[in-house]
Amino acid sequence: MPAAWLYPFGTKEGDQECVQRTVDFNSPLFKPEIGFPFGNSLQDALYFTDNGQIIFPPTDNYVPSNPNPPPQGFSGQEGLPMVAAFWDDADFSRGVGTTWYQEYSTLSSIRDPLVHDVEAKIKKYLKIPYVAKWTLKVTWEKAPAYPSQRNDTQTSTYQAVLTTDGNRSFTLLLYQDGGMRWDYTKLAADNVLIGFSSGNGCAQNNELTQKPAAVKYRPDQHSSAGTDVRGLWIYRLDSRSRVNYRLQCLAWLDAEPSPAAWNARLPPCPCSWPQAELDPRFRHSAGPADASMRMLRTASPSPAGAGVRCLYRDGSLLEGWQERAWSLPIHPATDGELEAFDWCCQRIGKPLFCARFAEKRPRVGCEGYVPPTPAGAFGDPHITTMDGLTYTFNGLGDFALLLARDAQTSFVLHGRTARTGMAQATNFVAFAAQYISTTTTTVEWTLGSQGDIQVLLNHETVQFSYSQDMGAQVYYSPGVLLVNASSVMAVFDGAIAISISAASRILSVVCSLPDQYRNSTKGLLGVWDHDPADDFQMPNGTSIPVNSSEEEIYSYGLTWAVGGHSLFTQPLDLPAMNFTPIFLSRLRQEDESQYQLAASQCCGSKACIYDSLSTGDMALGLATQSFTADFQQKKTVLNAFPPVITGDPSLTAFRTERVRRQYRAVGLGAHFVPHLSPELNISESGTLTWEPHGTAPLTINLEAVGSNNLSALLQLHFTLCSCSRIQECDYSNTVTVGGSSLQLAACRCEGSYSGPFCQDPLDPCAQGCFPGVHCDSLAGCGPCPSGLTGDGQHCSGDKGLPWPLGHPWDPPRVLLPVPCCIASADIDECAQGAACPGNTTCTNTVGSYACSCPAGEQGEGPGCGSACESRSCPTGYCSNGGHCRLHPITCTPSCTCPPAFTDQRCLVAGGDFRPLPSAGLPRRSVGLRVRMLRNATAEEVNGTVSAILGSLEVKAFQCNSNITQMTDGYGYTFAVVSEFAYDSRGTVIQFLNEELPGAITSAFNRHWGQREAGTHLLFQCLHRDNITDLVKLTVAELRHYFPCNLYGYKGYQLHYVGTAGFVCISPCKKGYCQHGGQCQHLPEGPTCSCLPFSVFSPAGARCEQLAISFTAFLSILLVILALLCLSLALVCLASHLCRQQRRQHQGARDTFWMPQPFSCEYIPATPPHTSSASPQSSLTSDHLPHSSSDNGRRARRSHPLSLRGKTLGTAAPAYLSLSPDEDPETPHQASEPAPPAALACH
């Protein structure tokens, strides 16, 4: 038989090399975008190890590598799903060997020759047509066995190819012919394993694994059943069919062109629902089931066939997005745009996919929205121009209402009038519109004999059909959408809208134009330039004033008569011959009292007055008035806008961090709608405070309301990181919580921590130990068995012992092939006398058994024993179910605690744990109707059904509680009630509630007509309607049966987290203690130790109260006093320096100007009892106020200073005297303030 060839590998083939010169190493993580179906799960990531494994970890933070395969092979219940290409202890640390890998993503039509060959092999050998979407090739080149030597030549070279189309998955294992050369006689254990295990019940052990070492270590020399080459095995890895929404989303994204290729000339959404209802460029569309939600779509596609979809909640714009594939409103097929949105944004739960969807379908708001500008004509024609000018024109015949043109299109609207009964007035009875772009489209509206509206499209009668999507009669032709509701509206290219209504046998028209036609219109509807002054422009370009008389306006209107160029299919019955209407001024002249009566009833509306007087029909006039008011109201609504909210809608928080954000609402009278909840508060001023307390779904929209009662919404997006440490948060990798606006950030664990939130410390036993070596949860692997050397994980030595199965510590191998979902009975090896060496205890497991030492003893080679045999753990050393063990050397006690406890003695809780179900938890039960091919007993039916249900991917089947034979004419039919057990795991709950009926059907039909193990019973095919749900509990109902009352510790909170299921989490993990308080979970519940920080001293049960400590208060007070004293000292110093400087400056100036000796004289003010003295009198002590006899009666007064008789200012009262002989610094105290005086210096 020829040998299979390995696929080419190495640098020349584009492979990446992956090698570390250590005993164990792992590759980087591979994350196929479409996921990888394995068993009944869709895996997100995988990696390979140096030991021939490809592992699918539960999180990115848990990537162990166990070099020692289980001696009994795979059971299907392994903790880590994996593919074993050649699982045994390899060693690349000595410089020999390497590994290579290459990914092949083939979502598009491009195919690599390797992928083509993989597809061909699967089709050839498994008879399954297959097209791969993702493929990984891994090559172990010259992998040496542990322990390796330099220049080792006894190496092995092999490949594993993993491939999936998103729904099915396969692995190809290839072994180089002559390249598998490990010397198995020198291995410490010869347990090499080839096969796979999904970890949820599906496993396959290669048939060679049961063979002697000489066979199983040389897979290159053997072949698989069904193949015609040596060294090739192919396994299918998935166990059930599924819809892979990731694949559907990615395939859609891959097929979609860039928006730049199709989204030109697409409008924004109307800013409010009232605006949207009146904008004819948009149409109603069946939206979500939520009654508060409404959906609009553009009425016609853009030139590129695209459109816009807008979603409103309670009248406010929630969001909008562009769509490339505008769909017909009549008999719509599957809404491909909404379907793609559902795949990418609803089904997957990964925001990254929704973000990529948004790249292909850009989001649309109302920025830049310009409402259409309506013009109209109604009644005995009253015309409102595009610029809002209103006038009456009673011409008879066909007239050009509007001519508009831009660079690519042109539009013409004609109106036909007839006499209103016998009155000297006219009204519209027909309209015709022609739109020219790449094609020409003409629509006619004609008043029917029954007062209805007849519609022609391109001169053909239109047959309307009911649209379920729009809820109206519609007709669509490329370039125009016709909607027949209360009016008949035509929308041309989603831009121009003409709405025709009929009342009192009169047609009215409302015309809406987009902004592109501004400054490009003419006709009776005027020149659209926001200036009514030029609206009466005639075809020759001249205009008449807007205040012209009725007669002049009538003459102007006649210039727009169409003549022989009418758009109407039918010509006029009779040409207008000398028709002159009656004008309002004449009607008033003829009967002033009748005019005043009509004016009072019409509230002054001239259009109403004219119509009622000219026709003699007040009802017609009032109808005109109502139409006019309605037209103006709609214009007002179209131009009313809600507030504009500014601010970042994305908020990010770490655990219980408080996040504060300020938003603004711009608009007249705008304010925010307050919101108050335990986690989120929004004030009327726009201050948002978010303080998350958990991971429950959260959806909040920020709402602002203006004085016009229109509101705006801003969708908020919350991202929460619940990692143990803030530096571990990976905000670029998030998952959506329960379809809400809350996203959970992934965690990048540091310091050997693992778990979804990096809450689990390093487990010394996660990497596994050598067979027969005990692992201590604190110390790790024990010593290698006797005769071997190593660290307990890697052991080596010449086995050379006369044990037929290897070593006395190797339990007997009972290798059970467990193919995916095929029932097999577990063998109790302990009951069959499996030899556990020494005084070890045998414990049966599914598909295997384990040997363990008694508590307090450490295994050393065969059997158990330690140096502490005469000692034992102190009584009660470990609390709450903890197991006490003595260290084998130091004999110190240590506790192995349940997962809830975080201290060394199992006293302080705080860790997460899975709750145990309460005694009253109902079982999941279904009713089956099973038809056998022959008569059978209830016991036989029970055995057959139990064997099949016991083989389901999730092992939750308990028993069949009721088996009843039925006589229904279909043969041997039995009614069976089957019961399954719920537990706290999310995978079990999801399986039992969502996947159980399909899994039962698949399991039965996979063995249709086959005999089940242990029976001779054959059964017929089982259909889905043969299965009836009897008892099924929702997650909300299950919560009542999983109490968090572990060991009486109060305060734990139950959470449901994705696939993890129910988890009891301590409030200590959720930020129970505020302001940095340290949390401990004691039996009475979480308690906080408040630690002072900065100047604050927290207090309260949760450290929620902040106060300034007394010491800090005194310190602050002293600092303030010191600063005041320093400031006062500085002021005094500055004042003293200033006086010194002033005296020095004054002395210098006096010396410069008057070099003669200095002298001053005191010139006292003249008191009543004293005559004036000589101005030259000297200043002596006799003149001082203290010598005055009446100084006791004098009040203190200011003294004017004079220089040479000139008053210089006001001096303070004199308290000292100066003489040429005295020191000017020596003061003389005065007993009384001096009277006013002057001081003269010279």
Side-chain angles (χ1 to χ4, degrees), residues 1046-1095:
L1046 178 74
Y1047 306 111
Y1049 276 63
K1050 300 177 182 178
Y1052 264 89
Q1053 298 170 352
L1054 185 67
H1055 292 260
Y1056 189 82
V1057 183
T1059 57
F1062 288 112
V1063 179
C1064 293
I1065 300 178
S1066 169
C1068 290
K1069 301 284 287 292
K1070 297 293 183 179
Y1072 180 80
C1073 300
Q1074 301 180 21
H1075 302 117
Q1078 293 184 350
C1079 187
Q1080 282 190 320
H1081 204 129
L1082 301 177
E1084 61 273 13
T1087 60
C1088 298
S1089 299
C1090 303
L1091 302 176
F1093 65 95
S1094 185
V1095 300

Coordinates of all heavy atoms in Angstrom, one line a residue, residues 1046-1095:
L1046 N -23.8 28.7 50.5 CA -22.7 27.8 50.8 C -22.3 28.0 52.3 O -21.9 29.1 52.7 CB -21.5 28.1 49.9 CG -20.3 27.3 50.1 CD1 -20.5 25.9 49.6 CD2 -19.1 27.9 49.4
Y1047 N -22.4 26.9 53.0 CA -21.9 26.9 54.4 C -22.4 28.0 55.3 O -21.8 28.5 56.2 CB -20.3 27.0 54.4 CG -19.7 25.9 53.6 CD1 -19.0 26.2 52.4 CD2 -19.8 24.5 54.0 CE1 -18.4 25.2 51.7 CE2 -19.2 23.5 53.2 CZ -18.5 23.9 52.1 OH -18.0 22.9 51.3
G1048 N -23.6 28.6 54.9 CA -24.2 29.6 55.7 C -23.6 31.0 55.5 O -24.0 31.9 56.2
Y1049 N -22.8 31.2 54.5 CA -22.2 32.5 54.3 C -23.2 33.3 53.6 O -23.7 33.0 52.5 CB -20.9 32.4 53.4 CG -19.7 32.1 54.3 CD1 -19.6 30.9 55.0 CD2 -18.7 33.0 54.4 CE1 -18.5 30.6 55.8 CE2 -17.6 32.8 55.2 CZ -17.5 31.6 55.8 OH -16.4 31.3 56.6
K1050 N -23.6 34.5 54.1 CA -24.7 35.3 53.6 C -24.1 36.4 52.6 O -22.9 36.7 52.7 CB -25.4 36.0 54.8 CG -26.0 35.1 55.8 CD -26.7 35.9 56.9 CE -27.3 34.9 57.9 NZ -27.9 35.7 59.1
G1051 N -25.0 36.8 51.8 CA -24.6 38.0 50.9 C -24.2 37.6 49.5 O -24.0 38.5 48.7
Y1052 N -23.9 36.3 49.2 CA -23.5 36.0 47.9 C -24.7 36.3 46.9 O -25.9 36.1 47.2 CB -23.2 34.5 47.8 CG -21.7 34.3 47.9 CD1 -21.1 34.1 49.1 CD2 -20.9 34.3 46.8 CE1 -19.7 33.8 49.2 CE2 -19.5 34.0 46.9 CZ -18.9 33.8 48.1 OH -17.6 33.6 48.2
Q1053 N -24.3 36.7 45.7 CA -25.3 37.1 44.7 C -25.2 36.1 43.5 O -24.1 35.8 43.1 CB -25.1 38.5 44.2 CG -25.2 39.6 45.3 CD -24.8 40.9 44.9 OE1 -24.2 41.1 43.8 NE2 -25.0 41.9 45.7
L1054 N -26.3 35.7 43.0 CA -26.4 34.7 41.9 C -26.4 35.5 40.6 O -27.1 36.4 40.4 CB -27.7 33.9 42.0 CG -27.8 32.8 41.0 CD1 -26.7 31.7 41.2 CD2 -29.2 32.1 41.1
H1055 N -25.4 35.1 39.7 CA -25.3 35.7 38.4 C -25.4 34.6 37.3 O -25.0 33.5 37.6 CB -24.0 36.5 38.2 CG -24.0 37.7 39.1 ND1 -24.2 39.0 38.6 CD2 -23.7 37.9 40.4 CE1 -24.1 39.9 39.6 NE2 -23.8 39.2 40.7
Y1056 N -25.9 35.0 36.2 CA -25.9 34.0 35.1 C -25.0 34.6 34.0 O -25.3 35.7 33.4 CB -27.4 33.8 34.5 CG -27.5 32.7 33.5 CD1 -27.6 31.4 33.9 CD2 -27.4 33.0 32.1 CE1 -27.6 30.4 33.0 CE2 -27.5 32.0 31.2 CZ -27.6 30.7 31.6 OH -27.7 29.7 30.7
V1057 N -23.9 33.9 33.7 CA -22.9 34.5 32.8 C -22.7 33.5 31.7 O -22.1 32.5 31.8 CB -21.6 34.6 33.6 CG1 -20.5 35.3 32.6 CG2 -21.7 35.5 34.8
G1058 N -23.3 33.9 30.5 CA -23.1 33.2 29.3 C -23.0 31.6 29.4 O -23.9 31.0 30.1
T1059 N -22.0 31.0 28.8 CA -21.9 29.6 28.8 C -21.4 29.1 30.2 O -21.6 27.9 30.5 CB -20.8 29.1 27.8 OG1 -19.6 29.8 28.0 CG2 -21.3 29.5 26.4
A1060 N -20.9 30.0 31.1 CA -20.5 29.6 32.4 C -21.7 29.2 33.2 O -21.7 28.3 34.1 CB -19.8 30.7 33.1
G1061 N -22.9 29.8 33.0 CA -24.1 29.5 33.7 C -24.2 30.2 35.0 O -23.8 31.4 35.1
F1062 N -24.8 29.6 36.0 CA -25.0 30.2 37.3 C -23.7 30.2 38.1 O -23.1 29.2 38.3 CB -26.1 29.5 38.1 CG -27.5 29.8 37.5 CD1 -28.2 28.7 36.9 CD2 -28.1 31.0 37.6 CE1 -29.5 28.9 36.4 CE2 -29.4 31.2 37.1 CZ -30.1 30.2 36.5
V1063 N -23.4 31.4 38.6 CA -22.2 31.5 39.4 C -22.6 32.4 40.6 O -23.2 33.4 40.4 CB -21.0 32.2 38.6 CG1 -19.8 32.3 39.5 CG2 -20.7 31.3 37.4
C1064 N -22.1 32.0 41.8 CA -22.3 32.8 43.0 C -21.1 33.7 43.1 O -20.0 33.2 43.2 CB -22.5 31.9 44.2 SG -24.1 31.0 44.2
I1065 N -21.3 35.0 43.1 CA -20.3 36.0 43.2 C -20.4 36.8 44.4 O -21.5 37.3 44.7 CB -20.3 36.8 41.9 CG1 -20.1 36.0 40.7 CG2 -19.2 37.9 42.0 CD1 -20.1 36.7 39.4
S1066 N -19.4 37.0 45.1 CA -19.4 37.8 46.4 C -19.5 39.3 46.0 O -18.9 39.7 45.0 CB -18.1 37.6 47.2 OG -18.0 38.5 48.2
P1067 N -20.2 40.0 46.8 CA -20.2 41.5 46.5 C -18.8 42.1 46.6 O -18.6 43.2 46.1 CB -21.1 42.0 47.7 CG -22.1 40.9 48.0 CD -21.2 39.7 47.8
C1068 N -17.9 41.4 47.3 CA -16.6 41.9 47.4 C -15.9 42.0 46.0 O -15.0 42.8 45.8 CB -15.7 41.0 48.3 SG -16.1 41.2 50.1
K1069 N -16.3 41.1 45.1 CA -15.8 41.1 43.8 C -16.4 42.2 42.9 O -16.0 42.5 41.8 CB -16.0 39.7 43.1 CG -15.4 38.5 43.8 CD -13.9 38.5 43.6 CE -13.6 38.0 42.2 NZ -14.0 36.6 42.0
K1070 N -17.5 42.8 43.4 CA -18.2 43.8 42.6 C -18.1 45.2 43.2 O -19.0 46.0 43.0 CB -19.7 43.4 42.5 CG -19.9 42.1 41.8 CD -19.6 42.2 40.3 CE -19.8 40.9 39.5 NZ -19.5 41.1 38.1
G1071 N -17.1 45.4 44.0 CA -16.9 46.8 44.5 C -17.8 47.1 45.7 O -18.3 48.2 45.7
Y1072 N -18.0 46.1 46.5 CA -18.9 46.4 47.7 C -18.4 47.5 48.5 O -19.2 48.4 49.0 CB -19.1 45.1 48.5 CG -20.0 45.2 49.7 CD1 -21.4 45.2 49.5 CD2 -19.5 45.4 51.0 CE1 -22.2 45.3 50.6 CE2 -20.3 45.5 52.1 CZ -21.7 45.4 51.9 OH -22.5 45.5 53.0
C1073 N -17.1 47.5 48.8 CA -16.6 48.6 49.7 C -16.1 49.7 48.8 O -15.4 49.6 47.8 CB -15.4 48.0 50.5 SG -15.8 46.6 51.5
Q1074 N -16.5 50.9 49.2 CA -16.2 52.1 48.5 C -15.0 52.8 49.0 O -14.5 52.5 50.1 CB -17.4 53.1 48.5 CG -18.7 52.5 47.9 CD -19.8 53.5 47.9 OE1 -19.6 54.7 48.0 NE2 -21.1 52.9 47.8
H1075 N -14.5 53.7 48.2 CA -13.3 54.6 48.6 C -12.1 53.7 49.1 O -11.5 54.1 50.1 CB -13.8 55.6 49.7 CG -14.9 56.4 49.3 ND1 -16.1 56.4 49.9 CD2 -15.0 57.3 48.2 CE1 -16.9 57.3 49.3 NE2 -16.3 57.8 48.3
G1076 N -11.9 52.6 48.4 CA -10.7 51.9 48.7 C -10.7 51.0 49.9 O -9.7 50.5 50.3
G1077 N -12.0 50.8 50.4 CA -12.1 49.9 51.6 C -11.8 48.5 51.2 O -12.0 48.0 50.1
Q1078 N -11.2 47.7 52.2 CA -10.9 46.3 52.0 C -12.0 45.5 52.4 O -12.6 45.6 53.5 CB -9.6 46.0 52.8 CG -8.3 46.6 52.3 CD -7.1 46.2 53.0 OE1 -7.2 45.5 54.0 NE2 -5.9 46.6 52.5
C1079 N -12.4 44.5 51.5 CA -13.6 43.7 51.7 C -13.2 42.3 52.1 O -12.3 41.7 51.5 CB -14.5 43.7 50.4 SG -16.1 42.9 50.7
Q1080 N -13.9 41.8 53.1 CA -13.8 40.4 53.5 C -15.2 39.8 53.6 O -16.1 40.4 54.2 CB -13.1 40.3 54.9 CG -11.6 40.4 54.8 CD -10.9 40.0 56.1 OE1 -11.4 40.3 57.2 NE2 -9.8 39.3 56.0
H1081 N -15.3 38.6 53.1 CA -16.6 38.0 53.1 C -16.6 37.0 54.3 O -16.0 35.9 54.2 CB -17.0 37.3 51.8 CG -18.4 37.1 51.6 ND1 -19.1 37.4 50.5 CD2 -19.4 36.6 52.4 CE1 -20.4 37.2 50.5 NE2 -20.6 36.7 51.7
L1082 N -17.3 37.3 55.4 CA -17.4 36.5 56.6 C -18.8 35.8 56.6 O -19.6 36.1 55.8 CB -17.1 37.4 57.8 CG -15.8 38.1 57.8 CD1 -15.6 39.0 59.0 CD2 -14.6 37.1 57.7
P1083 N -19.0 34.9 57.6 CA -20.3 34.3 57.6 C -21.5 35.2 57.6 O -22.5 34.9 57.0 CB -20.2 33.4 58.9 CG -18.8 33.1 59.1 CD -18.1 34.4 58.6
E1084 N -21.4 36.3 58.3 CA -22.5 37.2 58.4 C -22.7 38.1 57.1 O -23.6 38.9 57.0 CB -22.4 38.1 59.6 CG -21.2 39.0 59.6 CD -20.0 38.3 60.3 OE1 -20.1 37.1 60.4 OE2 -19.0 39.0 60.6
G1085 N -21.8 37.9 56.2 CA -21.8 38.7 54.9 C -20.6 39.5 54.7 O -19.6 39.4 55.5
P1086 N -20.5 40.3 53.6 CA -19.3 41.1 53.4 C -19.2 42.2 54.4 O -20.1 42.8 54.8 CB -19.6 41.6 52.0 CG -21.1 41.6 51.8 CD -21.6 40.4 52.6
T1087 N -17.9 42.4 54.8 CA -17.6 43.5 55.8 C -16.5 44.3 55.2 O -15.6 43.7 54.5 CB -17.2 42.9 57.1 OG1 -16.1 42.1 57.0 CG2 -18.3 42.1 57.8
C1088 N -16.5 45.5 55.5 CA -15.5 46.5 55.0 C -14.5 47.0 56.1 O -15.0 47.3 57.2 CB -16.2 47.7 54.3 SG -17.2 47.2 52.9
S1089 N -13.3 47.0 55.7 CA -12.3 47.7 56.6 C -11.9 49.0 55.9 O -11.3 49.0 54.8 CB -11.0 46.8 56.8 OG -11.4 45.6 57.4
C1090 N -12.3 50.1 56.5 CA -12.2 51.4 55.9 C -10.8 51.9 56.2 O -10.3 52.0 57.3 CB -13.2 52.4 56.4 SG -14.9 51.8 56.1
L1091 N -10.0 52.3 55.1 CA -8.7 52.7 55.3 C -8.6 54.2 54.9 O -9.1 54.6 53.9 CB -7.8 52.0 54.3 CG -7.7 50.4 54.5 CD1 -6.9 49.8 53.5 CD2 -7.3 50.1 55.9
P1092 N -8.0 55.1 55.7 CA -7.9 56.5 55.4 C -7.0 56.7 54.2 O -6.1 55.9 54.0 CB -7.3 57.1 56.7 CG -6.6 56.0 57.4 CD -7.4 54.7 57.0
F1093 N -7.3 57.7 53.4 CA -6.5 58.1 52.3 C -6.5 59.6 52.2 O -7.5 60.2 52.5 CB -7.0 57.4 51.0 CG -8.3 57.8 50.6 CD1 -8.5 58.8 49.6 CD2 -9.5 57.2 51.1 CE1 -9.7 59.2 49.2 CE2 -10.7 57.6 50.7 CZ -10.9 58.6 49.7
S1094 N -5.4 60.1 51.7 CA -5.2 61.5 51.6 C -5.6 62.2 52.9 O -5.1 61.8 54.0 CB -6.1 62.0 50.4 OG -5.9 63.4 50.2
V1095 N -6.6 63.1 52.9 CA -7.0 63.8 54.2 C -8.3 63.2 54.6 O -8.9 63.7 55.6 CB -7.1 65.3 53.9 CG1 -5.8 65.9 53.6 CG2 -8.2 65.6 52.9

